[in-house]
Amino acid sequence: MFLCGEFGPHCGACASVGDFLCDFPVGDGKTCDMPLCESHATEVAPNVHYCPGHQVLWEQFRDVGGVQRELENVVPFARPKEDR
Ligand SMILES: [Zn+2]
Ligand SMILES: [Zn+2]
């Protein structure tokens, strides 16, 4: 064996294998793409995961009402249905 251990992307916050990618939009149609393990990927919407740092940003962003505006350009945000 030349290399032992796990291959593939590793979590940006710890040494585990990163099965998830941060979907936080960083502009230019790109996303953060930081590899994240199960425990560091925060699911903010179905199939949308954010890294710890971006999850904080996302919460601040959401709190100031920026979501609506970004939704026009960015797909990943899924708003919960409002029954009204
Ligand atoms: Zn991790
Ligand atoms: Zn991120």
Side-chain angles (χ1 to χ4, degrees), residues 10-18 35-41 52:
H10 282 67
C11 175
C14 73
S16 303
V17 172
L36 298 163
C37 71
E38 215 172 324
S39 48
H40 282 110

Side-chain angles (χ1 to χ4, degrees), residues 15-67:
S16 303
V17 172
D19 286 327
F20 300 97
L21 291 178
C22 176
D23 295 306
F24 193 89
V26 291
D28 225 11
K30 291 176 190 153
T31 54
C32 170
D33 279 351
M34 181 193 268
L36 298 163
C37 71
E38 215 172 324
S39 48
H40 282 110
T42 304
E43 191 172 50
V44 296
N47 287 316
V48 179
H49 298 87
Y50 288 170
C51 64
H54 276 137
Q55 200 244 328
V56 173
L57 280 184
W58 154 250
E59 283 180 1
Q60 289 168 352
F61 185 65
R62 187 183 52 188
D63 287 350
V64 298
V67 179

